[in-house]
Amino acid sequence: MKKVALIIFFCHAVAIILLVHEVGYRVNFTDSMPLGIYQIVPGKPAKGDLVTFNLREDNPYFQISLDRKYLGLNENAPLLKALAGTTGDNIEISSAGVSVNGSLLQRSRQKSSDNFGRKLPALLHSTVIPSEKCLVMSTHNENSFDSRYFGLVDLSLMQRVIHVFTFK
């Protein structure tokens, strides 16, 4: 009897998560940002906003992210990051980390390998961000899978999000 109740509970939980996703909410289970519920909101993303997007399949890092399960079990799960740099911003990469317009971003030092010792490609280089591209970073975890590794992201792929409820 307990097994049946557990199966029913699990099915209901999955259904609720799918329904919540369908109406514009996202549940973050990763360490990149605080665990919790986020809502997609209208408007063009601006620097400092939280954004969600999917990594493009033509990104050289896409296949590596699939092979290493960086996006979890979902093959192309949406990512949740902070929009740290936009068109015209100057990005500098140094041993201290990533700077935008001369300001060092917290927890932004690039690593050469992941937590399992596998080499990490670095697709981000010092540059001025071109039109319609953005720098996305985690403001929460220095081990985040973000622009340090997969490079700049198309602004057109992003949606603004706000946190609704996070677990501290």
Side-chain angles (χ1 to χ4, degrees):
M1 189 62 148
K2 288 182 183 180
K3 191 174 190 177
V4 171
L6 186 58
I7 290 170
I8 291 171
F9 171 79
F10 178 75
C11 289
H12 280 97
V14 168
I16 289 169
I17 289 171
L18 291 174
L19 177 63
V20 163
H21 184 81
E22 196 62 33
V23 296
Y25 289 85
R26 299 295 180 263
V27 180
N28 179 47
F29 294 110
T30 72
D31 292 334
S32 288
M33 298 299 276
L35 302 177
I37 299 171
Y38 296 79
Q39 180 184 15
I40 294 174
V41 294
K44 185 176 179 178
K47 192 186 309 185
D49 285 344
L50 294 179
V51 294
T52 186
F53 61 96
N54 291 81
L55 195 58
R56 288 178 45 148
E57 292 183 20
D58 63 351
N59 184 299
Y61 208 81
F62 180 79
Q63 191 58 50
I64 292 171
S65 70
L66 292 181
D67 295 344
R68 296 181 182 181
K69 305 281 190 245
Y70 287 158
L71 302 177
L73 298 177
N74 183 346
E75 290 196 355
N76 194 9
L79 297 163
L80 177 66
K81 306 292 176 202
L83 185 53
T86 58
T87 301
D89 284 340
N90 186 36
I91 302 171
E92 292 289 330
I93 310 299
S94 70
S95 60
V98 179
S99 295
V100 176
N101 299 328
S103 295
L104 181 64
L105 301 176
Q106 291 183 326
R107 297 181 270 288
S108 67
R109 190 174 314 134
Q110 287 182 315
K111 298 179 186 250
S112 59
S113 60
D114 68 12
N115 291 338
F116 297 100
R118 299 173 293 198
K119 186 175 177 2
L120 286 169
L123 298 182
L124 185 65
H125 304 285
S126 296
T127 189
V128 173
I129 300 176
S131 179
E132 297 302 310
K133 293 285 189 178
C134 308
L135 173 74
V136 292
M137 302 284 291
S138 171
T139 56
H140 184 69
N141 185 337
E142 66 185 13
N143 294 320
S144 178
F145 174 59
D146 56 31
S147 280
R148 291 174 290 175
Y149 308 107
F150 55 70
L152 300 174
V153 178
D154 293 340
L155 180 61
S156 64
L157 298 177
M158 297 185 188
Q159 295 176 291
R160 289 179 57 223
V161 298
I162 57 171
H163 70 275
V164 175
F165 178 80
T166 54
F167 304 96
K168 298 273 178 179

